[in-house]
């Protein structure tokens, strides 16, 4: 990616740093110093690099989760505006970006499949009790999206926006595209819910491929722990869509 500034005769914005470099802007000196393998320097170089790969991938996931959580929080605030000033079109933009970022997270899991098993077995003891199950952002994401039992904050905010617009989720499902941005948001919720499910399935597949039924580093049951947490969010919306499908099917059968 080229960071060369475009040719311009305009002056820098007052107060803006005039000598900001690429490294300064991204904090690269700090960022690139945060990968600290725990395996001793005396082990084979390939093992150290594999642990570095393991760290980089997980740090990248947390960075993308930071953006996903922030975008979802912004979508919630926009949809659930107490003063009716939220713009659903802006919320739709946030959700479209989240949909794409979940694909990036899925690719992180695909990349981790290239971690040699023999290297992981060698450096895993140095992880101690560190585990992805301890991720604060995983928990934040769950509260935002919910599961198949409890609706998350995002869906609750969507219901507020529907009420403010004088409509309902069922009516939006029936109207489809003519419902405009509220329909597009509903479609994004389905996409994000499915992305979330696929990401969790991918994590389970990676865990099973690597460790089988061995317990997790934080004392969890490993694959069984992950399997129990694979759920599809937005259950109510899925139920409504199923009902709308049946309504259209009956209407089509009646006309024939």
């Amino acid at each position: 990616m080229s960071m060369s500034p475009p040719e311009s005769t305009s002056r820098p914005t007052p107060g803006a740093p005039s000598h900001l470099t690429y490294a300064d802007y991204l904090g690269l000196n700090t960022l690139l110093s945060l990968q600290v393998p725990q395996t001793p320097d005396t082990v084979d170089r390939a093992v150290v690099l594999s642990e570095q790969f393991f760290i980089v991938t997980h740090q990248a996931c947390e960075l993308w989760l930071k953006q996903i959580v922030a975008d979802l929080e912004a979508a919630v605030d926009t949809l659930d505006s107490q003063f009716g000033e939220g713009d659903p079109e802006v919320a739709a933009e946030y959700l479209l970006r989240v949909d794409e970022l979940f694909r990036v997270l899925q690719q992180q899991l695909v990349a981790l499949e290239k971690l040699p098993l023999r290297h992981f077995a060698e450096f895993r003891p140095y992880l101690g009790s560190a585990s992805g199950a301890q991720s604060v952002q995983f928990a934040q994401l769950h509260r935002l999206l919910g599961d198949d039992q409890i609706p998350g904050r995002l869906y609750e905010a969507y219901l507020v926006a529907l009420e403010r617009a004088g409509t309902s989720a069922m009516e939006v499902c029936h109207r489809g595209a003519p419902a405009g941005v509220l329909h597009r948001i509903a479609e994004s919720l389905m996409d994000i819910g499915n992305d979330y499910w696929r990401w969790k399935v991918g994590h389970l597949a990676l865990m099973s491929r690597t460790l089988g039924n061995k317990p997790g580093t934080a004392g969890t049951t490993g694959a069984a722990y992950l399997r129990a947490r694979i759920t599809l969010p937005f259950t109510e919306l899925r139920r409504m869509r199923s009902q709308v499908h049946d309504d259209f099917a009956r209407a089509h059968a009646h006309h024939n």
Side-chain angles (χ1 to χ4, degrees), residues 107-146:
Q107 284 303 118
Q108 301 290 319
L109 296 176
V110 173
L112 270 176
E113 292 179 357
K114 306 309 177 187
L115 175 66
L117 184 59
R118 67 188 186 281
H119 294 168
F120 185 52
E122 189 164 345
F123 73 71
R124 187 174 184 244
Y126 295 98
L127 301 182
S129 59
S131 168
Q134 299 161 345
S135 172
V136 172
Q137 295 193 120
F138 284 5
Q140 291 175 321
L141 185 60
H142 181 264
R143 287 193 292 272
L144 283 161
L145 297 183

Side-chain angles (χ1 to χ4, degrees), residues 194-208:
N194 289 352
D195 293 337
Y196 183 57
W197 181 85
R198 280 190 287 266
W199 179 50
K200 288 200 165 189
V201 169
H203 192 188
L204 170 62
L206 177 65
M207 174 75 170
S208 179

Side-chain angles (χ1 to χ4, degrees), residues 59-97:
Q59 287 179 341
C61 284
E62 289 289 344
L63 285 173
W64 288 123
L65 279 172
K66 178 179 181 177
Q67 185 66 46
I68 287 173
V69 168
D71 282 342
L72 289 176
E73 290 279 7
V76 167
D77 291 343
T78 303
L79 293 171
D80 193 15
S81 172
Q82 296 181 4
F83 306 103
E85 299 174 352
D87 185 349
E89 292 286 357
V90 174
E93 287 182 340
Y94 287 130
L95 296 179
L96 284 174
R97 183 158 66 202

Side-chain angles (χ1 to χ4, degrees), residues 164-226:
R164 189 167 59 239
T167 187
S168 67
M170 180 61 80
E171 184 175 347
V172 168
C173 288
H174 266 287
R175 291 184 63 200
V181 65
L182 295 175
H183 166 71
R184 297 201 304 276
I185 290 175
E187 292 296 300
S188 286
L189 295 184
M190 290 291 93
D191 290 339
I192 289 170
N194 289 352
D195 293 337
Y196 183 57
W197 181 85
R198 280 190 287 266
W199 179 50
K200 288 200 165 189
V201 169
H203 192 188
L204 170 62
L206 177 65
M207 174 75 170
S208 179
R209 170 193 177 117
T210 307
L211 293 174
N213 293 320
K214 292 181 67 65
T217 47
T220 70
T221 54
Y225 172 84
L226 296 178

